[in-house]
Amino acid sequence: MQEHKPVFVDWCPGCGNFGILRAEEMAIRELGIDPKKVIVVSGIGCSGKIPHFIQLPIGGVHTLHGRSIAYATGIKLSNPSLEVIVNIGDGDGLGIGMGHFVHAGRRNIDMTVIVHDNGVYGLTKGQASPTLHRGLKTKSLPRPNINDAVNPISVALSAGYTFVARGYAYDVMHLKDLIVKAIKHKGLAFIDVLQPCPTYNDINTKEWYDKRIYKLDNDPTWDPKVKSEADQQTKFERAMLKALEWGDKIPIGVFYENELVPTFEERIMQNIPNYLDYYPAKQEIEKNGESTTKIDELIKAKRV
Amino acid sequence: MQEHKPVFVDWCPGCGNFGILRAEEMAIRELGIDPKKVIVVSGIGCSGKIPHFIQLPIGGVHTLHGRSIAYATGIKLSNPSLEVIVNIGDGDGLGIGMGHFVHAGRRNIDMTVIVHDNGVYGLTKGQASPTLHRGLKTKSLPRPNINDAVNPISVALSAGYTFVARGYAYDVMHLKDLIVKAIKHKGLAFIDVLQPCPTYNDINTKEWYDKRIYKLDNDPTWDPKVKSEADQQTKFERAMLKALEWGDKIPIGVFYENELVPTFEERIMQNIPNYLDYYPAKQEIEKNGESTTKIDELIKAKRV
Amino acid sequence: MSRYSWMIGGAQGLGVDTSATIFGNAVARAGYYLYGNREYYSNIKGRHSYFQVVFSEKPLHSISSTVNVLATFDAETIFQHFTEVTDFIIYDKGVEGTNLDMVRSMEPEIAEQVRELLSKNGLGDTVKDVISYLEKKGVKAIPVNYLELLKRVADAYKLPLSVVERAKNIISVAASMSIFGFKLDYLKQAISSLFKNDLFIKFNTMAAELGYSLTENHYKLPEIPVSKPRIQVDGNTISAIGKLAAGLRFQSYYPITPASDESTYIEANQNLDMIVEAGELRKGGAVVVQAEDELAAINMAVGATLTGARAATATSGPGFALMAEGISWAGMNEAPVVITYYMRGAPSTGLPTRSGQGDLKFALNVGHGEFPRIVIASGDHEEIFWDAVWAFNLAEKYQTPVIHIIEKTLANAYSVFDEDHILGKKIPIERGKIVKPSGDFFRRFEITEDGISPRAFLGEASMFYAGDEHNEEGHITEGTENRIKMYEKRMKKLETADKEIPEEQRVNVVGDGNIVLLTWGSPKGAIIDAMDELKDVMMIQVKMFNPYPKNLMRKLLQGKSKIIAVENNYEAQGAQILTENTGIFPTNYILKWTGRAITREEIIEGVKQIVEKGEKKVVLSAGA
Amino acid sequence: MSRYSWMIGGAQGLGVDTSATIFGNAVARAGYYLYGNREYYSNIKGRHSYFQVVFSEKPLHSISSTVNVLATFDAETIFQHFTEVTDFIIYDKGVEGTNLDMVRSMEPEIAEQVRELLSKNGLGDTVKDVISYLEKKGVKAIPVNYLELLKRVADAYKLPLSVVERAKNIISVAASMSIFGFKLDYLKQAISSLFKNDLFIKFNTMAAELGYSLTENHYKLPEIPVSKPRIQVDGNTISAIGKLAAGLRFQSYYPITPASDESTYIEANQNLDMIVEAGELRKGGAVVVQAEDELAAINMAVGATLTGARAATATSGPGFALMAEGISWAGMNEAPVVITYYMRGAPSTGLPTRSGQGDLKFALNVGHGEFPRIVIASGDHEEIFWDAVWAFNLAEKYQTPVIHIIEKTLANAYSVFDEDHILGKKIPIERGKIVKPSGDFFRRFEITEDGISPRAFLGEASMFYAGDEHNEEGHITEGTENRIKMYEKRMKKLETADKEIPEEQRVNVVGDGNIVLLTWGSPKGAIIDAMDELKDVMMIQVKMFNPYPKNLMRKLLQGKSKIIAVENNYEAQGAQILTENTGIFPTNYILKWTGRAITREEIIEGVKQIVEKGEKKVVLSAGA
Ligand SMILES: Cc1ncc(C[n+]2csc(CCOP(=O)(O)OP(=O)(O)O)c2C)c(N)n1
Ligand SMILES: Cc1ncc(C[n+]2csc(CCOP(=O)(O)OP(=O)(O)O)c2C)c(N)n1
Ligand code: SF4
Ligand code: SF4
Ligand SMILES: [Mg+2]
Ligand SMILES: [Mg+2]
């Protein structure tokens, strides 16, 4: 068997996922990180296949529906030298995975979460995803959607993500820039990517988005970055209000950016001072077939 | 065996849960609902025991950790004539149950969710719950909490709850009023109840709260109720900003109230017109040991 | 036996299923019974999918290893299936020059195998090479100029080529009809009945005419007079209809292949008529909720049962795994929830669109702790209907979760059978011990002799449920005496069920030879269909695994020369359950875990290997 | 055999555990081995809890049905336990007038039983009635005026009464020490070593002196010289230490009784020293994450294993149920995750603070699909340590999830044993086939003869994992040939393990009589302790359920006159696994599902019932 056979990218023609794939590859290249240190963790769905399709020698972990953030957490915390990117579907990450999505915000681990937001459960044939608005009837729905939509941006802000952005799958360069920023960001970064699904979502199409999307950066006064404690409250509130904008105008770009919140890794270091130098994956637990770990003290503390 | 032996209320002396119990009983009495039509659904935790302790002949369903909203959904939708109240712990409802908590907001079923917010996992001996703030070290924690807290009010608002309030376990009359309003509210109501746990949470104590709590109603201009579509955006934004207030001053009362959003029951009626008259639990599916359901059309549609 | 096998293949998303359904429908109109099996990748567009239809004058339940007529319109189908064709291949003249490397959607490993086979025969790797290989082996190749024919259709209706493109399928279906000797009219009728859009009917009818004239009647199959109406249904649909007939009024689900089509069907048909008084219809509805995950789905359904509604969920492996905790609560609280378990290729995400029987022991032991889990498994489409009804009756009689297993292969396959196997028969509803409470309080968990407590519903009186061990009132108690009795009471229900349900109802037995083919679920079909060519065999299909029909199984297996476990898994889990219950081991195994259905020929060949060659275990691999 | 049983009881939250630990510690100082068992309600304050300590010159592993000395300071303990006392009861003179109705925390059913028993003996329902009942039966009652003694302590240290209240415990412990004839000094030492706060040490020491002088030396137990250091540990702690010794560096968990104490201990001791070069220590740390739920907990741990860290989670029934899907992914992706499964009273929430063995078959079959699940179960505290180490070695050698079962009873019980059973012994670490990849790409799932692929870690080269069926590179593939081989490769690891692990290592055998007591987990202790009074018996304790030691079991059971399954469940699940694997059925059963541990006397009595009275099945119920 030859090394690394090319994998057939089996998304539908015209799928927005191609744009995300290209943007992510470009971002990794631009950052000049050793690809094998980049671990792309995904869930289940059309979106979940992305690690297999990346044309770089990365590490790919295609996990369970809704659980990729948990896998990523285990990977990153036991080897913080890795660059972890989580690609989730909107059903995957914001439907079944909503609990993990919110709780990740409470930890602020230094990694990046990218949602492929197509409004549908693609791989199971087009059911409504949690980001599809109520009353909409996409192609494969027998009737209009009866659930309200979640707002990924406001949920991410509420949850404590310290970098919150929205991108658009067909604006690859802009998305690439967002991914670069998200990866560079110290803390948990979130990008909601509007990703047309030409096969099942015939409402939020390219044409539909093209008419509505504008860039936050167009406004020269828009500065989402928190620079001081004092800044925090105002920037957060502004981001939150901006997050509510949806309809005729849809903003893309960075909503909020805050590096003043300590990362989870930093919080661990309060308890394990040499954590980053000698992290779990690095520790030599065995020598000549024997345990290296000294447990004498623990046992002797139990002496009677 | 005699009918209905009194159940020993085995919460710790001084526990805030007693206040919630009393307020809930009073609210049910005040509303004059037939107690057996009131179904109190709970999860697992000290809070989860509440249905057993209520001194009224209610229906009680003590479910699984984190899943009570799902049980309640099944109960309410198959018998919408019941009055369903969900009592959840903060670990229960906002930790392991966070996914259901958020998605319930998307449905707006006409029921009431009450969180016993004590900052700890009481029944498992005081670990940090998702509402405990970072850096706090309550009695049973070996070290300060390293996770950030979720904000139940802003998450509920983001999720789409149409009635959002906060109460205080030691202000029983105020809490009773909130519960009455929540039950009367047409749609999904949420009350975050600040509930001191004298056994494990030695930080957010009665003294601590008594100093900080104030009532939203004290401000005569505070009117959380959405009265028109136009009202919606402003009232929501104001509630969201208010939700961020925490620290020296902690508001209690109603943050947001909106009956313009159709309930899930109303949405079902778009598809099943006589749903409320002849709901699932009421339908006679059997007659003389035989099925009453006509399937002839369905079968004949498959003829070749 | 006259049994014909036809197959159509093509890239996912191009209408292969529809055309196979139309073909089947047309063949059924000619008076034939049939069985059609669908294979597809976990992909929306572009990967290879195919549909095999087998037909005969007699009812059928399995596919074949070989294909009489293979209808294709792309290169991949030819590369993937040419080894299976025996008589005819219909193919696109335009792809003759396509070689293996050009078919990017084909998995590299599969391309490699094809390349090897061809080069062993001194051939290159183009479609043309394959066609000459086939012709040498006596297969008749029918080249079609699809493009030209489609252009004609497009021109006739002034439509862009892209709109009529899928009529390719119909052309190849029509050519097949002609080869078999079936009337074109049947195809036209099928087209009219299955397409909704008039224009579609028109241009497809034209395509059918064009295709039909491409070939000649080779098999000259006679028309068979049909006296009674027949229906053509797949497993998802017949399960849905069975559940509605059984009185299902609440279904919660989370999308998952191959289960969600059942829920979609129920939702689309949720408005129902009930014959409440003689001659009087009352309208009601089944509520269907798309939950946020399977944890919610199971617990919503369990909650619904407490109000008296018949409630269920449907899922497959990954979702079922998430339901474990909820099922345990249902067991503890004696909630009659039904879980329709669509079994697919596992472990984990596995082969999500393929079949498998690897989860049986998981289903039987799901959830922590001891409580009665009734598990039944269906072997064909008719069984699915009746088992769906049975499941609800068992659930309510024994007040415990019931798991109904349907494999992916049956879910997506269809068969044709006589309508009166369902309509006109009594559909029994047994709701068990339901009472109207008299007082304010109701003791939901009263301890009784047979373990079954009278049951009333939330809202009718004050009553309590708890996942903790509870007393008769449903309140938490940790006392040992109550624990012993309440636990025993729950477990006793299984003994009661074991006494009440005749063991004969839990096992299907066909034949009484000395060689036992011991199976469950879908392999039943292949075995039954193979039995006319096998000597001295007996099929034993276990339909209920808990309570297990131990006594009958002991009796049936007594003194048999061979007990061959036939299953779609590696461990022969059904046989392991036999051993656990009876101490009897199978002597041999015919196993398949590729995710593809077992064919009739594989059974014949497998038994031969065992009986004649003395093989202990035969591992099957047929199917692309 | 000289074996003494002591018990202390009182409302939850009042220090019953601490005083039992102190008592044990003091008794151990006198040279005795001991075993202590903890029982408590799922409640934080107010419900009844108790601790039984059994001690002897020889190592012990079980509790007793009866109690020589019962130390109490409230009424409920007397009502709940007076039927168990044989020799002494220490009680609060102040509660003599308390009657059953006044004890609101007692479950009504239990109160009813007590009332009945007393009234049958013509007695009323006060503590006084109980005391006279006991005195009539020859038990010596020792009334204590706790209030007065406490006041003296409070006065002496100028403390409010509420602060010194818990010294009640120490008073009764001290009185017990004096009855047994142990030196007061040992108690003082135990107090000094177990309390951190100086003031606490002081006033408790005073309380000890007061209590000690209340009674006289009755048993006159000799002091036993101890040559080697001994330790006193509970199951949670020794499991945690075992895991750290094994190299655990990542543990994710969600709080649950009785598992979370293990994680708390690990977190509190997460900073570790490693002997990396001879004589050189290097500091490292084990990361512990409190996850948002068990779904996250298992999947975090599985993720961590992919980086090369030894990773685990710990949970009990409800949490384990939520891990099913993640375990299936780990099986599919050959991730060496360890799950420490603290088994408790089930189903559902069940008896969350009591013990049980009802989840064995769930553990063995958890997760959809077929993949190797290695399951081991420990029978005592020493085993827990070594099995924790074994679990990680198995997981990494066979690259598959390993489930390590520890029952609640062992988790919360403690025993005293010789320190050198752990320290000074070689703690073997076998990491299996770990390689450093040479190129850019690493084929993680290479198909090999023994089913085990070389393993490298994320970050070392490009590699892929997928829950879908995958090829050697880890990319999704649905081809049948790969499916057959990759599936077979995974399953083969179980065969390899079965070949490599000596069956003798998977079974503990003691004695070689004709009557087999077949068990697993905690009942081992009661059986071993009972064996000196039983004739012609043999204990077989299965330690590994998968791969099952079939050959050895067949050999061991051959020709035995009786095979008695002894388990803490209803179905005798361990025996069902025996049958599934060997076709052998047990002849008899001794079963207990009250959530309380099996006592030594229950085993003796149970065997008698079976051997002498011909009972088929004995159901046990000892313990309040
Ligand atoms: C536990 C579980 N439930 C259900 C599924 C079935 N499933 C596969 S893909 C998918 C939906 C994917 O939707 P989304 O996350 O939006 O991704 P997309 O395909 O749209 O990229 C589902 C529900 C599964 N794999 N696992
Ligand atoms: C699936 C599952 N995981 C863990 C537990 C253990 N558990 C019981 S109570 C509890 C925490 C309760 O905390 P909270 O919800 O805050 O309720 P409180 O006791 O504080 O009222 C936990 C984790 C459980 N019962 N089920
Ligand atoms: S179904 Fe939609 S999301 Fe999935 S590959 Fe096709 S276009 Fe993309
Ligand atoms: S532990 Fe806390 S929440 Fe639980 S009963 Fe005691 S005081 Fe109340
Ligand atoms: Mg999607
Ligand atoms: Mg809490």
Side-chain angles (χ1 to χ4, degrees), chain C residues 312-538:
Chain C
T313 184
T315 189
S316 66
F320 187 78
L322 292 175
M323 294 185 179
E325 194 198 12
I327 294 173
S328 182
W329 193 94
M332 184 64 144
N333 282 284
E334 316 202 22
V337 70
V338 170
I339 301 111
T340 311
Y341 191 169
Y342 286 94
M343 225 170 257
R344 68 185 210 188
S348 196
T349 311
L351 292 174
T353 59
R354 315 284 179 178
S355 200
Q357 296 189 312
D359 313 357
L360 176 63
K361 284 171 71 185
F362 181 42
L364 273 162
N365 294 291
V366 70
H368 50 298
E370 299 175 293
F371 58 91
R373 303 151 176 96
I374 294 179
V375 178
I376 59 178
S378 301
D380 62 34
H381 292 112
E382 284 183 47
E383 279 184 22
I384 290 175
F385 178 89
W386 294 105
D387 290 347
V389 175
W390 196 24
F392 284 94
N393 290 338
L394 290 167
E396 288 207 318
K397 274 181 78 171
Y398 303 109
Q399 302 182 10
T400 204
V402 173
I403 296 164
H404 177 198
I405 298 173
I406 300 171
E407 297 141 66
K408 175 261 157 186
T409 196
L410 287 173
N412 287 168
Y414 62 72
S415 48
V416 165
F417 57 89
D418 295 351
E419 190 180 273
D420 66 6
H421 289 196
I422 291 180
L423 287 192
K425 292 209 169 179
K426 170 175 169 172
I427 297 172
I429 305 283
E430 298 178 78
R431 302 208 59 184
K433 285 195 196 167
I434 293 180
V435 296
K436 283 273 169 238
S438 49
D440 270 355
F441 290 91
F442 181 73
R443 280 190 300 147
R444 172 63 188 93
F445 300 103
E446 192 186 322
I447 291 175
T448 60
E449 205 31 58
D450 60 2
I452 302 167
S453 311
R455 182 167 159 250
F457 306 129
L458 285 179
E460 296 181 334
S462 177
M463 66 184 77
F464 297 87
Y465 288 92
D468 294 75
E469 189 57 275
H470 41 252
N471 59 20
E472 291 186 310
E473 289 183 70
H475 288 305
I476 302 174
T477 165
E478 303 196 12
T480 55
E481 204 178 301
N482 177 79
R483 172 69 169 175
I484 294 175
K485 288 196 188 139
M486 195 52 77
Y487 202 117
E488 217 159 39
K489 163 199 141 60
R490 284 189 297 269
M491 298 306 285
K492 243 190 210 165
K493 293 189 294 180
L494 215 44
E495 291 159 35
T496 302
D498 198 21
K499 268 185 227 134
E500 292 181 354
I501 308 164
E503 296 205 10
E504 289 68 24
Q505 212 172 318
R506 297 181 243 169
V507 186
N508 272 339
V509 181
V510 179
D512 66 350
N514 253 306
I515 299 164
V516 172
L517 291 161
L518 172 68
T519 197
W520 63 280
S522 72
K524 165 196 179 173
I527 296 174
I528 297 239
D529 287 356
M531 281 178 81
D532 55 3
E533 228 179 288
L534 291 171
K535 270 187 240 70
D536 199 22
V537 294
M538 168 181 201

Side-chain angles (χ1 to χ4, degrees), chain C residues 55-69:
Chain C
F55 55 91
S56 159
E57 315 96 71
K58 286 187 289 179
L60 283 181
H61 308 90
S62 64
I63 53 166
S64 287
S65 295
T66 55
V67 173
N68 297 94
V69 177

